Amino acid sequence: MTVTDVGEFGLIDRVTARLAQGQSCLLGPGDDGAVVAAPDRRVVASTDVLVEGRHFRRDWSAARDVGHRAAAANLADIAAMGATPTALLVALCMPAELDPAWAEELADGLGAEAALVGASVVGGDMSASPTLTIAVTALGDLAGRPPVVRSGAGPGDVVALAGRTGWAAAGYTVLSRGFRTPRLLVEAFRRPEVPYAAGPAAAAAGATAMIDVSDGLLADLGHVAAASGVAIDLRQEAFEVPRQMRDAAAALGVDPYTWILAGGDDHALAATFPPDAALPDGWRPVGRVAAGAGVTVDGAGYDGPRGWDHFRRTAE
């Protein structure tokens, strides 16, 4: 069976039947638009796209895994603004010969990841396309707080990290070399573990700037440094290399700090806090903000790659 056999509206019915709706959803799929509660009277919005062959491969990840990844990439952006995610809108463009079960399992992953934060998949669109593409828009609620933007860091601030970095990049390297183990690293690429609650917690604790680490810690902190007009220096010793990652790096001939400092897709959160602020649970200090420009490691420029570039690298 293919999506052509089922038809657009038949597939929509099959997919939406699998999606539970949370409390923030006042009107879900079925009309021309969804209605989502906005208690704060402001809505945080973000969008992201996953393209087969560039962001995922079906021989590397099951449809449910891709659903988790697609949702996580967007939900993490909402958390990085200090907000709580409330809803996802999903557009799915797919080849006509795709098995409809793949789309159903994708919906299962999207819904399961959204449920981790109490959000819902409230609607979207479908279309035929020669390239399998998933576009997701996320919405979130600030709960009365100002958004935490990239431009608020100041000299003297502490740079802190919530979540892990390097795991997904290590899994990507393992898969790209034709292996399927260590499984812990491969699963980290397939399904990121995002510290969603750390975003609102950082906002409540007075974070001055924050960002989702999707393209690599050095690259993403570079955005914070540029937006804030400051320099950021990281301490390499603040980043522990887990045994599984160290062993895989040795076997593959890779410097593990390349994964940790420049690898994306873990969706950790990086933030800056005033020097006297108490870091919330789950946050650890990894560097300092100073006057100047750019991002350094232990006071020096980093010679290795700095992160993902969507126009130069593919999921090969």
Side-chain angles (χ1 to χ4, degrees):
M1 183 180 294
T2 68
V3 295
T4 300
D5 299 323
V6 175
E8 177 185 357
F9 297 104
L11 185 59
I12 288 173
D13 289 341
R14 293 171 69 148
V15 166
T16 56
R18 308 172 82 92
L19 298 171
Q21 301 303 314
Q23 293 183 350
S24 296
C25 178
L26 305 181
L27 180 65
D31 281 84
D32 290 331
V35 179
V36 179
D40 184 75
R41 300 184 67 184
R42 297 172 296 172
V43 176
V44 179
S46 181
T47 192
D48 201 14
V49 63
L50 275 73
V51 179
E52 184 176 19
R54 176 161 291 272
H55 301 100
F56 69 92
R57 285 175 37 170
R58 277 185 276 169
D59 59 330
W60 285 6
S61 303
R64 191 179 181 102
D65 296 328
V66 177
H68 277 275
R69 287 191 66 205
N74 288 270
L75 297 170
D77 283 335
I78 301 300
M81 298 298 293
T84 299
T86 57
L88 296 176
L89 295 161
V90 182
L92 176 60
C93 301
M94 63 202 123
E97 66 274 11
L98 185 73
D99 187 333
W102 196 94
E104 293 174 335
E105 292 169 16
L106 174 76
D108 291 342
L110 287 162
E113 190 70 24
L116 294 176
V117 292
S120 311
V121 180
V122 300
D125 193 20
M126 292 183 181
S127 179
S129 169
T131 303
L132 183 55
T133 304
I134 307 146
V136 182
T137 296
L139 307 177
D141 180 68
L142 286 163
R145 293 184 297 266
V148 184
V149 295
R150 301 178 181 184
S151 56
D157 282 355
V158 175
V159 181
L161 188 71
R164 61 192 190 183
T165 63
W167 290 70
Y172 172 92
T173 303
V174 168
L175 288 165
S176 67
R177 301 285 181 90
F179 302 106
R180 295 295 185 268
T181 57
R183 187 172 180 81
L184 193 66
L185 300 180
V186 171
E187 290 303 317
F189 171 80
R190 290 173 173 160
R191 294 191 190 185
E193 296 182 4
V194 185
Y196 295 117
T208 54
M210 187 156 48
I211 194 168
D212 160 40
V213 183
S214 57
D215 295 328
L217 185 60
L218 293 174
D220 288 319
L221 283 177
H223 299 317
V224 173
S228 299
V230 297
I232 291 176
D233 185 56
L234 300 176
R235 294 179 294 105
Q236 183 166 300
E237 66 178 13
F239 300 92
E240 178 185 357
V241 181
R243 177 185 58 80
Q244 298 92 336
M245 189 183 298
R246 184 174 62 250
D247 292 346
L252 297 171
V254 176
D255 178 355
Y257 285 103
T258 298
W259 292 332
I260 291 171
L261 296 174
D265 289 331
D266 284 299
H267 299 291
L269 301 179
T272 58
F273 293 84
D276 57 349
L279 297 183
D281 290 343
W283 288 90
R284 64 187 189 277
V286 295
R288 285 278 180 180
V289 180
V295 180
T296 55
V297 180
D298 293 332
Y302 185 71
D303 293 333
R306 301 183 72 86
W308 172 276
D309 186 321
H310 290 274
F311 292 96
R312 295 182 180 174
R313 184 177 172 191
T314 58
E316 295 176 351

